[in-house]
Amino acid sequence: MAFADLDGVRLHYRAEGDPANPALVLSNSLGAALDMWAPQVEPLAARFHLIRYDTRGHGQSAVTPGPYTIAQLGRDVIGLLDHLGLGRVHFAGVSMGGLTGQWLALNHPERLHRLALCNTAAYIGPPENWTNRVAAVRADGVGSIADAVASRWLTADYAAAKPELAASLRQMLSATASEGYAAACLAVRDADFRADLSRIAVPTLVIAGTHDASTPPAEGRFLADHIPGAQFRELSGAHLTNLEDVEHFNAALLAFFGEAAAS
């Protein structure tokens, strides 16, 4: 396992593919870890220097005291890039990772070539939902909300057809440190980029899931409508389209990030 000791946090990451290729960083969703990107590794690592990492408080990264902010999570990415000696990279994030991507595009556009915002929104409300979830997790642990939360990650039909995948996702969520999860919930609760999207100048692809109840397609369209020149793709699936509509998700990322190499 590889770790980067940054300012105030130790991040776990994996680097795959040829370092001579353009770098692509993948950022996980709330309650997940870098293994959530497993179906993307082979095709993306064949074309890019692929960097996956566990957001602070998740996976094998350090659980630091909360609350976290999206700005803090974004600065972690900058620290990781500096640690790896990477200047500008492509970046793709799901849900919370997409909020991190928006912060990076607004605050450090010089570090991004292209940006994919997947199953995310400029604002994921209402705030009381997050406050209540934090209270439940701090009282009874992440396992107490795992079934309810993970049930929104895949459509019911797909989860029934892929029971091992559904079980592994619940296990991944349940294994997340309660304090790390709660601290990250507060980062998501307090993030709101709706008034800032027009300032994003990084070429952007927005991916939404038709059956995503957490960040519905309308939220993705809002992003695409307000980020100048953004592309929009709606895929089959719920909140984790990278796991439910793997073929089209991978094709969308390869085409979008591949445009940079072709231009």
Side-chain angles (χ1 to χ4, degrees):
M1 290 190 288
F3 293 91
D5 290 310
L6 310 179
D7 184 15
V9 68
R10 192 180 208 214
L11 291 189
H12 172 234
Y13 71 93
R14 290 182 193 162
E16 292 148 303
D18 188 345
N21 287 336
L24 168 57
V25 177
L26 303 180
S27 184
N28 59 275
S29 61
L30 177 68
L34 57 77
D35 287 337
M36 70 167 284
W37 296 103
Q40 282 70 58
V41 172
E42 184 176 352
L44 294 182
R47 297 272 301 278
F48 301 97
H49 180 208
L50 189 66
I51 310 295
R52 295 179 290 156
Y53 74 100
D54 291 331
T55 298
R56 82 161 61 204
H58 290 66
Q60 300 300 312
S61 288
V63 181
T64 59
Y68 304 159
T69 67
I70 294 300
Q72 185 180 33
L73 304 186
R75 288 192 293 269
D76 288 346
V77 174
I78 297 300
L80 179 61
L81 298 185
D82 290 345
H83 173 83
L84 295 172
L86 298 173
R88 297 179 72 192
V89 301
H90 299 306
F91 185 94
V94 169
S95 195
M96 177 178 67
L99 290 169
T100 301
Q102 291 170 67
W103 185 89
L104 289 168
L106 288 164
N107 293 275
H108 288 280
E110 76 283 355
R111 304 303 293 268
L112 299 182
H113 286 297
R114 291 190 162 217
L115 172 67
L117 303 175
C118 312
N119 295 88
T120 190
Y123 171 74
I124 308 176
E128 57 268 22
N129 286 3
W130 297 109
T131 303
N132 293 340
R133 190 182 297 189
V134 167
V137 167
R138 285 181 171 160
D140 300 309
V142 177
S144 67
I145 53 96
D147 284 345
V149 171
S151 69
R152 299 164 72 89
W153 287 358
L154 306 172
T155 60
D157 287 346
Y158 195 79
K162 302 283 187 179
E164 292 182 358
L165 173 61
S168 71
L169 291 174
R170 288 193 298 272
Q171 182 178 11
M172 180 186 296
L173 176 57
S174 297
T176 304
S178 293
E179 183 51 38
Y181 184 87
C185 280
L186 297 176
V188 173
R189 181 194 68 181
D190 296 338
D192 187 352
F193 297 113
R194 289 175 292 184
D196 303 310
L197 296 177
S198 64
R199 295 195 293 108
I200 293 180
V202 176
T204 301
L205 168 68
V206 179
I207 292 177
T210 298
H211 305 291
D212 187 351
S214 300
T215 51
E219 299 290 352
R221 292 191 189 98
F222 182 90
L223 286 169
D225 288 345
H226 289 82
I227 297 173
Q231 303 176 31
F232 178 77
R233 289 288 308 275
E234 184 173 329
L235 303 182
S236 174
H239 195 50
L240 299 186
T241 53
N242 72 300
L243 296 176
E244 188 160 354
D245 195 0
V246 173
E247 180 180 355
H248 292 110
F249 186 94
N250 290 353
L253 291 195
L254 285 167
F256 177 67
F257 291 127
E259 286 177 3
S263 61

